Amino acid sequence: MLKVENVNKSFGGLTAVAGVSLDLADNQVTGLVGPNGSGKSTLFHIITGFYRADSGWVLFRDKPIQDLPPAAISRLGLIRTFQQTRVLPFLSVRDNLLAVAPDQLGENILPVFFRPRAIGRQERDNRRRAGEVLQLMKLDHLADRPAEELSYGQERLLELGRVLMCRPKLVLLDEPTSGVNPTLIRQIVQLIRKLQVEGMRFFLVEHNMPLVAELCERVLVMDAGRLIFDGAPEAAQRDPAVIEAYLGKNREAS
Ligand code: ADP
Ligand code: MG
């Protein structure tokens, strides 16, 4: 489904991603872990078009996407969330969802004059989808409240909801549970499970290893820009290189 081939990215003298290659099958939830600064978010930025790789290729469903802008990549069905949430505080929860609905014909002036019926249909479709997503997120009771009233965890849910509006095939989640309370974490886990059963695929950065083991059939580990492990989560936790990557970081910090 997603192929990354020999991707490199430096910032000045610092190599953030070094020769990373990976191949995600189309039937799995895959985790990406590694110490802080190991290049996980940068890799996600590159895959989703927010950063350009210095070299290498990214293929989504066999189509090269490394030169496409984020909007074109999301139209292909590959969408991400950010480590920092990006909801619009003054819009209602529902309008936050509608604001990202795909292909808004009404935004272009010509169809407003020539295709009013198509726009009406699309608006109804988007409203229906927003209703479904609100239910999935268990945020329907807050649909008309301004997003700024949400708790931090609910904001993270809403951000995931914005992604789901576009019915993606593969979702990249950057630390979806960081700062989220245990109840909402369970809700996010159940949601990922349910969407997985419905055919959506996930690639997620997550620090909580028990959660990675619970959700992911496969985990990739990065350290200093390189991929140092690819396999089952249980094996990752026993792998000497992985252990050293984490311990080494702790030694530097102390
Ligand atoms: P992770 O998500 O694994 O914590 P990042 O991908 O955010 O790591 O960062 C990898 C390295 O690249 C870090 O050393 C970070 O400081 C650096 N980096 C990331 N983004 C930028 C940027 N826009 N400009 C300069 N350095 C960056
Ligand atoms: Mg990060």
Side-chain angles (χ1 to χ4, degrees):
M1 168 168 262
L2 176 72
K3 243 187 215 154
V4 170
E5 289 176 6
N6 203 16
V7 159
N8 292 281
K9 176 76 180 173
S10 298
F11 299 104
L14 184 141
T15 305
V17 176
V20 167
S21 298
L22 57 89
D23 190 346
L24 299 194
D26 48 18
N27 59 350
Q28 288 179 320
V29 177
T30 310
L32 178 62
V33 304
N36 273 333
S38 55
K40 307 178 296 294
S41 292
T42 303
L43 182 64
F44 271 22
H45 284 309
I46 291 169
I47 292 170
T48 48
F50 288 85
Y51 288 169
R52 288 276 157 268
D54 298 333
S55 59
W57 294 269
V58 183
L59 295 105
F60 181 57
R61 305 171 95 210
D62 298 324
K63 184 180 159 64
I65 58 168
Q66 70 276 351
D67 297 323
L68 298 181
I73 294 173
S74 67
R75 276 195 295 274
L76 295 173
L78 171 55
I79 312 196
R80 63 168 305 173
T81 61
F82 289 85
Q83 198 170 342
Q84 257 72 45
T85 51
R86 297 190 170 185
V87 303
L88 307 166
F90 302 111
L91 285 186
S92 74
V93 169
R94 189 195 312 278
D95 285 344
N96 261 280
L97 295 177
L98 292 172
V100 293
D103 298 315
Q104 303 205 356
L105 289 172
E107 279 180 358
N108 301 318
I109 194 77
L110 282 178
V112 175
F113 288 110
F114 296 116
R115 302 175 60 198
R117 216 169 301 166
I119 293 167
R121 191 180 336 116
Q122 194 180 63
E123 275 182 12
R124 277 194 301 282
D125 285 349
N126 287 339
R127 290 201 159 266
R128 191 178 319 121
R129 179 63 180 165
E132 286 168 12
V133 169
L134 284 166
Q135 268 186 355
L136 267 176
M137 303 282 133
K138 302 200 172 99
L139 291 176
D140 25 356
H141 60 296
L142 298 168
D144 299 309
R145 307 302 307 165
E148 64 186 341
E149 288 181 9
L150 298 181
S151 71
Y152 178 74
Q154 288 171 327
E155 244 179 54
R156 303 233 62 170
L157 264 182
L158 177 57
E159 209 212 343
L160 183 53
R162 283 159 62 93
V163 165
L164 300 181
M165 279 301 288
C166 310
R167 302 174 197 275
K169 298 181 178 72
L170 176 63
V171 183
L172 271 52
L173 302 171
D174 201 347
E175 305 196 14
T177 68
S178 78
V180 176
N181 74 49
T183 312
L184 273 180
I185 290 180
R186 292 326 303 169
Q187 199 182 322
I188 292 175
V189 168
Q190 282 167 13
L191 189 65
I192 292 174
R193 282 257 173 80
K194 181 173 156 67
L195 293 165
Q196 160 84 357
V197 170
E198 289 172 8
M200 210 174 279
R201 295 296 169 256
F202 294 89
F203 185 23
L204 58 112
V205 172
E206 175 56 62
H207 284 299
N208 181 336
M209 271 313 276
L211 205 65
V212 171
E214 182 185 350
L215 269 174
C216 304
E217 288 99 330
R218 177 182 177 193
V219 65
L220 308 171
V221 185
M222 282 182 82
D223 182 40
R226 295 182 183 282
L227 215 55
I228 59 162
F229 179 89
D230 177 352
E234 298 71 27
Q237 295 177 69
R238 295 189 304 265
D239 185 87
V242 173
I243 292 167
E244 177 56 30
Y246 279 92
L247 289 180
K249 280 284 167 329
N250 286 341
R251 271 202 295 272
E252 274 166 37
S254 59

